[in-house]
Amino acid sequence: MADILRQPAEVIYQAELEALHAEDSGSKPHNWYVSPKAVVTYLMGGKTAAGVEISAKYIGNRRLIETAVATLATDRALLLLGVPGTAKSWVSEHLSAAICGKSTQMIQCTAGTDENQVRYGWNYAQLLAKGPSREALVPTPLYRAMESGTLCRLEELTRMGSDVQDTLITVLSEKMLPIPELNEVVYAERGFNVIATANNRDKGVNELSSALKRRFNVVVLPLPDDMEQEVSIVARRVEQTGIGLDLPIPKNVREEIEKVVTIFRELRGGETLDGKVVLKTPTGNLSTAEAIAVMVGGLSQANWFGEGALTAEDISANLVGAIVKDPVQDKVVLEEYLETVMKKRRDYAEYYRSMNDVL
Ligand SMILES: Nc1ncnc2c1ncn2[C@@H]1O[C@H](COP(=O)(O)OP(=O)(O)OP(=O)(O)O)[C@@H](O)[C@H]1O
Ligand SMILES: [Mg+2]
């Protein structure tokens, strides 16, 4: 297991989950591994009574996570909505890990996803040999979640066709899945629920039908409120990713993160942080997730090609790549930003020079 590139949350944070489980004697929803309060502690961080440190997974508004957890304890499903890179998949993974100890029961919804990948499919060799039977049926993650009373994650729900999305209606409202071929029905065990994620600013998404929308409680995950919060999200994730990739973390990483986040926030918001200069905004959405990726790319460059310290040069190519998504429009936006804002800032001189080099 040691060589696996990325372990699921329940493996990485097994010790934390066990510590929370061990002292969770209060009542909890059926089939939950820990109580709703402990799930929130697991996500937001804290300390158990026995003194075990629980790291914060989500940085942001505690109420949102409480609402999400409370929803999952009811018979309504949870839909995490937000622009790309706002930790929807991340929160969904951690919620599943804490609630049912398994975050891998997941369906990635795409334009090519059909009903067989949502409900059940058939093993055709078996189907031909034996006809429709339980042995010939191939359960999907949703089917297994229903049978075992656990959670199923649906990633990017709105990317699959609206007709396929609607197969979920019976499952979510009647809590059962008819199998007409066998004249049988699978009933969901208690503890079953669904966490879906969807992003509301992307090409190629299909509207949720209002019938389906009614079955979900929606929690909108926002972009980080302030600079400090965003810097701490990026710093934490860059450090964790760096350690996972065996990349040394240079001392000045936080300073550079502050600069990158400043650039991101100014371009995203369309004005400088002090509000004095109005800027054009690039077409990409410059999310926190992209700031993390830029920094991790920089760390790798510094480690393999640099002198060890993290320099503006290591970061600039990735930074320009993140900002310039449209080679024509975004280039103009960035050039203007470089000339009107960055050129005048002394501590950004290195960035100004090296970003101009790659642009
Ligand atoms: N508020 C936050 N707290 C903790 N981590 C965050 C936060 N916002 C973003 N991240 C980090 O951003 C990264 C990307 O998040 P994730 O992939 O979950 O985004 P997403 O909302 O699912 O995006 P997409 O719509 O593109 O799928 C994760 O590594 C996550 O840790
Ligand atoms: Mg996602």
Side-chain angles (χ1 to χ4, degrees):
M1 288 294 268
D3 282 340
I4 288 180
L5 183 57
R6 183 185 184 276
Q7 304 269 20
E10 60 272 27
V11 175
I12 302 176
Y13 297 103
Q14 190 182 4
E16 291 187 7
L17 287 168
E18 279 170 3
L20 287 165
H21 177 71
E23 64 182 38
D24 211 4
S25 51
S27 65
K28 48 188 149 190
H30 197 85
N31 223 10
W32 280 35
Y33 184 62
V34 295
S35 68
K37 268 205 181 120
V39 177
V40 174
T41 309
Y42 170 76
L43 266 121
M44 303 301 298
K47 225 177 196 169
T48 65
V52 178
E53 198 73 49
I54 307 293
S55 61
K57 318 304 179 293
Y58 180 71
I59 299 172
N61 190 342
R62 187 180 199 94
R63 299 294 301 190
L64 290 179
I65 301 296
E66 283 176 0
T67 310
V69 174
T71 299
L72 290 170
T74 67
D75 60 352
R76 284 171 69 80
L78 171 67
L79 175 60
L80 298 171
L81 199 67
V83 297
T86 42
K88 301 180 295 295
S89 307
W90 178 252
V91 168
S92 154
E93 176 181 355
H94 284 288
L95 285 174
S96 314
I99 292 172
C100 62
K102 190 156 42 164
S103 65
T104 49
Q105 230 155 223
M106 192 251 275
I107 300 175
Q108 175 72 51
C109 309
T110 69
T113 305
D114 63 22
E115 286 195 17
N116 297 346
Q117 287 151 300
V118 178
R119 298 188 307 168
Y120 51 85
W122 296 101
N123 173 334
Y124 286 98
Q126 291 270 10
L127 190 62
L128 288 176
K130 297 200 184 125
S133 61
R134 278 276 174 149
E135 294 82 71
L137 186 140
V138 181
T140 61
L142 181 76
Y143 186 113
R144 288 185 198 279
M146 290 179 77
E147 262 188 340
S148 57
T150 52
L151 293 178
C152 177
R153 296 171 52 200
L154 294 167
E155 277 292 307
E156 304 286 349
L157 177 66
T158 48
R159 293 204 156 269
M160 61 181 183
S162 303
D163 46 341
V164 186
Q165 291 172 18
D166 283 347
T167 47
L168 289 170
I169 294 178
T170 326
V171 173
L172 295 183
S173 55
E174 326 275 316
K175 313 293 176 199
M176 62 158 192
L177 182 62
I179 312 177
E181 295 89 338
L182 302 182
N183 196 19
E184 282 181 29
V185 171
V186 181
Y187 292 99
E189 289 267 319
R190 287 175 70 191
F192 164 73
N193 211 334
V194 165
I195 307 179
T197 66
N199 94 53
N200 52 5
R201 201 212 285 173
D202 210 346
K203 292 188 188 114
V205 297
N206 302 294
E207 273 291 301
L208 281 186
S209 67
S210 42
L212 186 56
K213 215 181 262 169
R214 264 195 307 114
R215 267 86 190 171
F216 282 103
N217 267 3
V218 178
V219 170
V220 179
L221 296 184
L223 282 163
D225 290 340
D226 54 34
M227 172 84 187
E228 208 181 313
Q229 198 176 49
E230 191 158 5
V231 169
S232 72
I233 297 170
V234 178
R236 192 181 296 253
R237 292 291 299 137
V238 165
E239 193 186 325
Q240 287 167 344
T241 318
I243 292 171
L245 295 171
D246 289 334
L247 293 173
I249 312 287
K251 280 205 197 68
N252 63 332
V253 72
R254 187 144 186 131
E255 276 160 55
E256 305 311 314
I257 289 176
E258 276 168 17
K259 291 190 185 122
V260 169
V261 171
T262 304
I263 297 172
F264 267 44
R265 289 186 76 87
E266 293 189 326
L267 284 169
R268 192 197 292 150
E271 59 175 24
T272 49
L273 291 186
D274 57 15
K276 287 192 181 141
V277 184
V278 177
L279 302 164
K280 291 200 187 86
T281 51
T283 54
N285 83 313
L286 294 178
S287 67
T288 316
E290 274 157 302
I292 297 169
V294 165
M295 290 308 300
V296 172
L299 283 190
S300 174
Q301 193 136 339
N303 181 51
W304 300 111
F305 299 103
E307 310 285 325
L310 186 61
T311 62
E313 225 163 292
D314 298 321
I315 299 172
S316 290
N318 283 314
L319 194 51
V320 171
I323 299 167
V324 182
K325 291 277 156 58
D326 178 318
V328 183
Q329 250 172 298
D330 293 340
K331 198 163 173 240
V332 178
V333 173
L334 182 56
E335 270 165 0
E336 190 183 290
Y337 179 68
L338 286 170
E339 294 309 316
T340 53
V341 180
M342 291 203 26
K343 196 174 181 178
K344 301 192 181 107
R345 290 186 182 155
R346 265 235 232 95
D347 44 343
Y348 284 71
E350 282 300 303
Y351 280 87
Y352 174 76
R353 194 182 50 72
S354 50
M355 283 174 82
N356 259 320
D357 277 352
V358 266
L359 196 62

